[in-house]
Amino acid sequence: MNQDLILETRGLVKEFKGFTAVDDVNLKIERGTIHALIGPNGAGKTTVFNLLTKFLTPTRGQLLFNGQDITKKDSASIAHMGIVRSFQISAVFPHLTVLENVRVALQQKRKDTFAFWRSEKILDELNSRALELLDSVGLREFSHAQAVDLPYGRKRSLEIATTLALDPELLLLDEPTQGMGHEDISVVAELIKEVGKDRTILMVEHNLNVVADLSDTITVLQRGAILTEGNYESVSADPRVREAYMGVEEDQLEGEGTEHNGPVVETSV
């Protein structure tokens, strides 16, 4: 077993009534890295994420986490093992406070999830850790605000805090900057970079400047299969990647005013 691999897929296939959405995908996610999964619309990225987190069952193939075959385990089991997913749409309790949202996640880790009937004194025992997590994502000053009142980027930061409360070994981020303005993108990108210092991250991300800035390795999917893999420089220079994204001439794929010489920032994948 390769000790440097935290997650591996072998011959991963997912078929839907004769349509092959994921076709022989072999991923190798190295421990302690940020690994991006990109590709044009319909490339199979979300389906791969759903397979990794067991929201879908593979038609064929294997999933290995820390060398252990998890192909037949359910989503709750792999979450307890340390694979935690953050969803594309912010998934927080809107009418709980920021602090309460993180506390609920900590309760889940302690296996007393949603024990709202417990005394406030007992629940307050979780406050110290919850505030530490809010500090780590820059939200301590918002601890008593209702989640519904947070700006969108801050909601995504809160979602990451609740995810971190589950103490993941592998964090899967699904479009973490989706729908954000430039200021929020910068905040969340810096947060991902900071979080990635202590754990492994696999993310689907449409913003290629974010991908270029954060990722150690990039896997490009096309029509459910791996097209190529490597660092940003090698991937962005691959003519197959340029054709897969837009199907137009190369000069239309050059981002103006950016240090990265690759596909334009706002390309959707």
Side-chain angles (χ1 to χ4, degrees):
M1 181 183 73
N2 187 340
Q3 298 291 334
D4 292 331
L5 293 183
I6 187 171
L7 183 71
E8 182 179 5
T9 70
R10 297 177 180 173
L12 198 62
V13 174
K14 181 60 182 178
E15 297 173 345
F16 295 98
K17 297 182 178 179
F19 169 70
T20 303
V22 174
D23 187 7
D24 192 31
V25 167
N26 296 283
L27 284 175
K28 295 180 185 291
I29 311 301
E30 294 187 4
R31 194 179 313 279
T33 64
I34 298 179
H35 193 124
L37 194 62
I38 71 171
N41 289 327
K45 304 178 299 297
T46 298
T47 304
V48 168
F49 252 44
N50 286 335
L51 291 169
L52 296 179
T53 49
K54 304 315 296 293
F55 286 87
L56 288 174
T57 301
T59 304
R60 293 185 297 280
Q62 282 184 296
L63 300 170
L64 292 94
F65 179 61
N66 286 326
Q68 180 179 347
D69 192 331
I70 61 169
T71 311
K72 296 184 179 180
K73 292 188 178 293
D74 60 24
S75 56
S77 296
I78 66 167
H80 284 301
M81 292 174 69
I83 302 176
V84 179
R85 174 179 179 174
S86 173
F87 285 88
Q88 182 174 1
I89 299 173
S90 184
V92 297
F93 295 103
H95 298 295
L96 294 183
T97 69
V98 168
L99 181 66
E100 287 167 342
N101 266 278
V102 179
R103 203 164 60 181
V104 166
L106 288 169
Q107 285 176 254
Q108 181 173 335
K109 181 67 177 176
R110 285 163 49 121
K111 300 184 179 179
D112 54 3
T113 315
F114 308 129
F116 296 112
W117 59 87
R118 301 183 67 185
S119 73
E120 188 70 17
K121 181 178 179 180
I122 293 174
L123 293 180
D124 281 346
E125 295 173 3
L126 301 173
N127 282 354
S128 177
R129 177 58 180 152
L131 288 170
E132 285 179 9
L133 288 164
L134 291 177
D135 267 333
S136 73
V137 299
L139 288 180
R140 188 185 183 104
E141 64 183 285
F142 299 97
S143 61
H144 296 297
Q146 280 198 327
V148 70
D149 295 326
L150 292 178
Y152 184 69
R154 297 291 184 183
K155 286 180 183 175
R156 298 312 302 266
S157 296
L158 175 57
E159 184 185 352
I160 291 175
T162 60
T163 304
L164 294 179
L166 302 177
D167 196 23
E169 188 176 355
L170 173 62
L171 178 58
L172 278 68
L173 300 177
D174 191 0
E175 299 276 17
T177 68
Q178 176 71 29
M180 292 185 185
H182 291 295
E183 183 176 345
D184 284 338
I185 287 173
S186 297
V187 169
V188 172
E190 282 302 313
L191 174 56
I192 294 169
K193 186 181 294 186
E194 188 64 27
V195 167
K197 292 178 180 178
D198 300 319
R199 53 186 51 81
T200 308
I201 294 175
L202 175 62
M203 66 177 183
V204 167
E205 177 53 51
H206 73 287
N207 186 312
L208 294 183
N209 273 358
V210 172
V211 170
D213 185 45
L214 298 181
S215 303
D216 300 295
T217 305
I218 300 168
T219 299
V220 184
L221 290 181
Q222 182 185 28
R223 299 188 184 93
I226 293 178
L227 179 65
T228 189
E229 187 173 270
N231 60 23
Y232 183 82
E233 287 72 23
S234 64
V235 165
S236 63
D238 191 322
R240 296 174 301 166
V241 174
R242 294 169 174 263
E243 182 179 356
Y245 264 93
M246 299 291 286
V248 297
E249 298 198 12
E250 280 194 22
D251 57 359
Q252 292 179 262
L253 291 170
E254 299 294 341
E256 294 184 8
T258 175
E259 61 182 303
H260 303 294
N261 184 24
V264 291
V265 175
E266 298 300 334
T267 301
S268 178
V269 302

